[in-house]
Amino acid sequence: MQRTTEEAAEALEIAHRCVVDGQPLISPLKNVWTLSNEARRIVGGQTADRKMLQRQRVLWFITPGGDAASEVVGQWFEVQDRISSGDYSKLTGLTLAGARGALDRLVQDGRLVRGDATGRNAHYLQPVNAYGLYSESDSRV
């Protein structure tokens, strides 16, 4: 079913007003919407349930490893030009330290580069090639 941008925005606002145990179903993160922690807890259930759901590509972005971590970052870059450990932590449910470690591993793999800011403004960027273009995995190319 296809809808206009305005209709989709309205549907997201309505979903945001839906609550589970007093918590919204979805939450804004910069200019994207994510499942709220309460919704993730309910859908994810027990650890065994989460693993089964991840295999079925439901909640695949929660504590992702390997290629899934790169996919989370790639999808973020479809709408943002940088990612911080705080962003990644909120997207995946990892701690800030865990998120920083995951992003640093992507730097080691050449999938990200650290931005020049430090401290609270620290962030990661997509690598650029010799021509100043984003990598081939970037959908904006």
Side-chain angles (χ1 to χ4, degrees):
M1 179 168 25
Q2 299 212 354
R3 296 288 180 211
T4 66
T5 303
E6 293 78 19
E7 289 171 324
E10 181 181 0
L12 287 168
E13 287 295 333
I14 291 169
H16 180 60
R17 289 193 298 267
C18 294
V19 296
V20 177
D21 291 338
Q23 300 298 314
L25 184 61
I26 61 173
S27 303
L29 176 61
K30 297 193 176 174
N31 65 337
V32 300
W33 291 93
T34 63
L35 280 177
S36 68
N37 290 336
E38 185 65 18
R40 291 178 192 201
R41 184 188 63 75
I42 290 168
V43 173
Q46 303 299 318
T47 301
D49 295 337
R50 273 194 304 276
K51 290 179 180 179
M52 186 253 327
L53 289 170
Q54 285 178 328
R55 283 193 304 276
Q56 295 175 340
R57 299 281 300 161
V58 177
L59 298 182
W60 62 271
F61 52 89
I62 305 298
T63 61
D67 290 336
S70 185
E71 188 176 349
V72 169
V73 170
Q75 287 189 17
W76 182 257
F77 281 137
E78 289 179 13
V79 293
Q80 299 289 332
D81 61 353
R82 62 182 61 193
I83 189 166
S84 69
S85 55
D87 297 332
Y88 193 78
S89 171
K90 290 174 185 167
L91 290 169
T92 63
L94 291 171
T95 64
L96 282 173
R100 191 174 314 108
L103 294 173
D104 285 341
R105 282 189 292 282
L106 291 174
V107 169
Q108 291 170 354
D109 293 345
R111 297 179 188 187
L112 286 178
V113 295
R114 283 188 69 86
D116 54 6
T118 59
R120 295 180 64 86
N121 293 319
H123 59 274
Y124 299 80
L125 305 165
Q126 292 178 299
V128 293
N129 64 25
Y131 303 104
L133 300 172
Y134 290 107
S135 65
E136 290 180 17
S137 64
D138 182 6
S139 64
R140 295 177 289 186
V141 175

